Amino acid sequence: MKTNVWKINPMRVDAHMDEINQAAYLLQQQEVVAFPTETVYGLGADATSEQAVHRIFEAKGRPSDNPLIVHVAESSQVENLVTDIPESAKKMMASFMPGPLTIVLESNGTCAKNVTAGLSTVAVRIPDHPVALALLKASEVPLAAPSANRSGRPSPTTADHVYQDLNGRIAGLIDGGPTGVGLESTVVDCTSDMPVILRPGGITRQQIEDAIGAVMVDPALASTEEKPKSPGMKYTHYAPEAPLWLVDGSDEFFIDQLRNLERDGKRIGIIASNELADQLPQRRVIACGSRNNLKEVAVHLYSALREFKKADVDIILGEAFSEEGYGEAIMNRLQKAAVKKLNQF
Ligand code: TXA
Ligand code: MG
């Protein structure tokens, strides 16, 4: 299949309505099209068409029991997909939509059944990105859209990442430049009395609690024993080409581990904060940002995970970050991407 690529300046979407309409036309023909959102690139298809949604699963190689997030352009369209919107969800919608938040509500059956993978609930979000919003409006359908990576790979934060994974497997790709947040949306289940965070992401737990009061966190996020409520959370995820080892300890501990591996002849790639990277001149190191600015680290994390190639490194050593604020989402992704952990304490 030929993948059409359109380049669009997100600040000037109105000058690119031809391209948006071409992409929307493909979506209406049940094809899949990748597009930028404020979090990561999504792979969109008409959420009301089982055939179109099936093509998402095929293109990604995604397990069919992992449900998709449905994207709409306006909060009034959320009502068309669900049986009811509880008070907590209304408050979150008012505070964070459009934005990097996904709410799980009881589905009214409007979406194709493979979107929800047999669950009675549906996950909905309004992306805060001019290209995504223009595409949603032009296609006139809700769009099911997982992250636009091959299943198991780090999510794409540039069109080039999407191209590497999906060229030839999808009908279209809108290149709107790099995404902003860098990590996926926070997924919150609003079907019980107290909302439950199923996946940490672009809206922090603190931000949600400031808006609606106490929330719970899916116990599966903290333990490998619990079965996650969000089906997608149980699969291998975000895996770089070379094995990632996560190092949790002081900078001295990190450097010791690095030297031991180098002594054994291993070629090491490093993903670290600016502060640690500064202590490692002449090493293969990607600095993601200051450890005092985890929002910046989030922006660069996925491209760092894609950067090191198997041909060049045997092992990637990743620095563990604080789990405060955005760190909760960063560490959730790093823990999942890692095959091994080296803990000082
Ligand atoms: O930022 C994002 O959320 C991106 C952009 C493209 O919008 N999308 C994204 O989709 O990350 P995906 O498919 O990679 O992750 C969706 C997550 C999965 O963990 C899935 O299991 C969960 O949301 N999910 C979807 N529907 C659900 C439901 N009804 N109940 C519980 N979890 C659900
Ligand atoms: Mg994903």
Side-chain angles (χ1 to χ4, degrees), residues 92 101-105 186-191 195-199 208 212 215-216:
M92 277 189 279
L101 179 83
T102 295
I103 51 177
V104 173
L105 300 168
T186 303
V187 179
V188 185
D189 182 351
C190 298
T191 59
V196 184
I197 297 180
L198 303 182
R199 176 179 74 179
I208 296 174
I212 65 165
V215 292
M216 299 203 327

Side-chain angles (χ1 to χ4, degrees), residues 99-144:
L101 179 83
T102 295
I103 51 177
V104 173
L105 300 168
E106 287 299 336
S107 165
N108 69 6
T110 298
C111 291
K113 27 181 210 309
N114 48 353
V115 169
T116 55
L119 299 176
S120 66
T121 54
V122 61
V124 191
R125 103 174 183 91
I126 304 177
D128 188 13
H129 192 290
V131 173
L133 291 170
L135 185 64
L136 282 163
K137 285 183 189 140
S139 62
E140 297 179 318
V141 288
L143 294 178

Side-chain angles (χ1 to χ4, degrees), residues 35-43 60 62 65-71 100-105 115-116 119-125 127 145-149 155 183-187 189 198-199 229-234 237-238 333:
F35 60 95
T37 80
E38 82 282 29
T39 57
V40 299
Y41 273 74
L43 184 59
K60 285 192 54 131
R62 181 177 176 109
D65 67 345
N66 190 1
L68 307 176
I69 295 173
V70 179
H71 299 63
L101 179 83
T102 295
I103 51 177
V104 173
L105 300 168
V115 169
T116 55
L119 299 176
S120 66
T121 54
V122 61
V124 191
R125 103 174 183 91
S147 49
N149 50 282
S155 300
L183 297 178
E184 301 86 342
S185 60
T186 303
V187 179
D189 182 351
L198 303 182
R199 176 179 74 179
K229 276 186 78 185
S230 175
M233 300 300 282
K234 68 175 181 278
H237 255 119
Y238 320 113
R333 307 307 193 268

